[in-house]
Amino acid sequence: MKIRIQKITLLILGVVASLIVNAQTIEVSATVAGVAQPIANGSVFNAASLGPVTLNLKDYLPLTVTIKNTSATDPLELEAVAGKYVVLSGTGASDFIINETGITSSTIAPKGSKTFTISLSSTATNGPNKTVSISIKSNSEGNSTDGVYAGSITYNLSGIPEPEIGVSATVAGITQEIDNGTVYNAASLGPITLNLSDYLPITITINNTSSTDPLILETIDGKYIGLSGTGASDFTIDETGISSSTIEPNGSKTFTITLSSVATNGSNKTVSMSIKSNSVGNSTAGMYVGSITYNLSNITTSITKASDIGLSLFPNPSKDGNMQVKANNVIVNKIVVSNIAGQTEEFTTTQFATSLKGLLLVKLYTDKGVVSEKIIIQE
């Protein structure tokens, strides 16, 4: 009887051992410089060196990382976190971009594997002994903690361009550097109060202060320069001086700011300029924002109704935005349409089509002055 009990116990232990061996277990490995390195849960793979040789990870990117299911019988089910199977964290997380196209589904069959790649991001920075952690959530019963695998890679990065943007404006013969997040006071020159309209157009210079690395400008909504703030509608930008997106080391490009047709008088007004680039200095995550305070005066702002000088707009309301101005002995030079959100469109003919919707204000610039009319474009 004792022998039979021992045999049953051994059999049960054998079954348990078999179940443990065959349970789905995640295994992650990365290959750098031809060396495949398994990365156990909670461990660190040193990709900064291969024996006595110091490596620059940038030379081996994109890096392919393999997720393997070591079980011979049970599938490994990956779980997405915020829509991603693989999550990067740590001080080096912003250096990389993950491409999960190799993970075609959440299931990795027994003894199967899937891959993802790690590439350099546009915000990567140089530095030695940096660390990035890789997290993968699954139903793994091994090489994980509560189903979460977390392994890390230490690495070096070098040779990444490190340009720095510099922006300056000249008003009344004085050039002022405008650092990221700062304000240039163009409303006064010492004790003298200035009217900015007397000095327009203003030339703004974008400098690349690096002596080695090019500065690459990025467009936002098709523009290199964005204006915001309470004074944004006062100005129009001419970017013709920015002939390309690249500013060579120690080089510069310029743009000009001129008065817009909807500018209004006022003191201590503010306009902010936004420029996005690969700058690693004088910017926040590549975005430079500098501001100018200013005064505007002597701008004709008297506006009467269009009907007062014999103008009418029709159809009103309009279903498709197509409008026509009927003029009796009045010359219409320009038409500016704006909505309550501050969006504007400008036209030079008395037949025009606006893309704006809702209740709109139409300003008509004529030989008899500026007049206005409200129209409705049905949505």
Side-chain angles (χ1 to χ4, degrees):
M1 181 65 67
K2 186 179 294 184
I3 294 174
R4 181 178 297 176
I5 292 173
Q6 287 176 340
K7 286 182 178 181
I8 292 173
T9 302
L10 289 172
L11 179 60
I12 293 172
L13 290 174
V15 170
V16 172
S18 176
L19 289 173
I20 294 173
V21 169
N22 288 318
Q24 60 273 27
T25 297
I26 192 170
E27 182 179 273
V28 178
S29 62
T31 301
V32 178
V35 177
Q37 175 70 47
I39 311 172
N41 179 49
S43 70
V44 180
F45 167 36
N46 184 6
S49 66
L50 180 61
V53 182
T54 299
L55 300 180
N56 175 17
L57 188 61
K58 178 172 172 285
D59 296 334
Y60 302 95
L61 294 174
L63 185 69
T64 298
V65 180
T66 301
I67 308 171
K68 184 177 181 181
N69 177 10
T70 63
S71 172
T73 58
D74 301 319
L76 180 70
E77 297 291 341
L78 305 180
E79 296 181 31
V81 177
K84 298 289 185 180
Y85 292 120
V86 182
V87 178
L88 298 186
S89 61
T91 55
S94 61
D95 285 338
F96 303 107
I97 295 174
I98 289 179
N99 185 338
E100 294 188 352
T101 53
I103 306 176
T104 53
S105 69
S106 62
T107 302
I108 302 180
K111 293 297 183 181
S113 65
K114 294 185 184 294
T115 62
F116 62 91
T117 59
I118 297 178
S119 303
L120 207 62
S121 77
S122 60
T123 57
T125 57
N126 295 309
N129 298 317
K130 306 178 80 174
T131 300
V132 63
S133 296
I134 303 169
S135 298
I136 304 170
K137 187 172 177 59
S138 69
N139 64 338
S140 174
E141 297 183 11
N143 198 29
S144 62
T145 304
D146 295 329
V148 177
Y149 159 89
S152 302
I153 299 175
T154 60
Y155 59 95
N156 298 326
L157 283 180
S158 61
I160 298 171
E162 292 188 335
E164 180 173 293
I165 192 172
V167 178
S168 61
T170 302
V171 177
I174 295 179
T175 299
Q176 174 71 45
E177 296 289 336
I178 311 174
D179 287 332
N180 180 48
T182 66
V183 180
Y184 169 34
N185 184 7
S188 65
L189 180 62
I192 304 172
T193 300
L194 301 180
N195 175 20
L196 189 61
S197 61
D198 295 336
Y199 300 94
L200 293 172
I202 293 178
T203 297
I204 309 290
T205 302
I206 307 172
N207 296 294
N208 178 8
T209 62
S210 170
S211 60
T212 57
D213 302 317
L215 179 71
I216 309 298
L217 305 180
E218 299 180 28
T219 59
I220 299 175
D221 295 329
K223 299 288 185 180
Y224 291 117
I225 316 299
L227 294 185
S228 59
T230 55
S233 61
D234 285 339
F235 302 104
T236 300
I237 289 179
D238 183 352
E239 295 187 353
T240 53
I242 307 176
S243 53
S244 69
S245 61
T246 302
I247 303 179
E248 300 299 332
N250 293 325
S252 64
K253 292 186 183 294
T254 62
F255 63 93
T256 58
I257 295 180
T258 57
L259 209 61
S260 78
S261 60
V262 295
T264 57
N265 294 312
S267 58
N268 296 316
K269 305 178 80 174
T270 300
V271 62
S272 297
M273 301 175 294
S274 302
I275 305 171
K276 187 167 178 60
S277 69
N278 65 335
S279 175
V280 298
N282 198 30
S283 61
T284 304
M287 179 66 80
Y288 161 89
V289 180
S291 302
I292 299 175
T293 59
Y294 59 95
N295 298 326
L296 285 180
S297 59
N298 302 322
I299 298 172
T300 302
T301 57
S302 58
I303 298 176
T304 59
K305 291 183 179 180
S307 57
D308 291 343
I309 60 171
L311 292 177
S312 60
L313 286 82
F314 63 92
N316 187 16
S318 169
K319 293 182 179 180
D320 54 10
N322 288 302
M323 299 294 302
Q324 185 171 345
V325 178
K326 184 178 180 181
N328 294 319
N329 299 317
V330 181
I331 298 174
V332 179
N333 299 311
K334 181 174 60 177
I335 299 170
V336 176
V337 182
S338 60
N339 61 15
I340 59 175
Q343 296 173 300
T344 62
E345 292 179 341
E346 187 172 312
F347 306 95
T348 56
T349 61
T350 54
Q351 287 186 315
F352 62 93
T354 178
S355 64
L356 302 178
K357 305 294 183 183
L359 178 63
L360 307 179
L361 177 66
V362 180
K363 291 183 182 178
L364 301 101
Y365 294 75
T366 78
D367 61 339
K368 294 183 179 180
V370 183
V371 295
S372 69
E373 195 69 53
K374 291 180 181 179
I375 63 173
I376 296 175
I377 307 298
Q378 295 175 345
E379 301 187 37

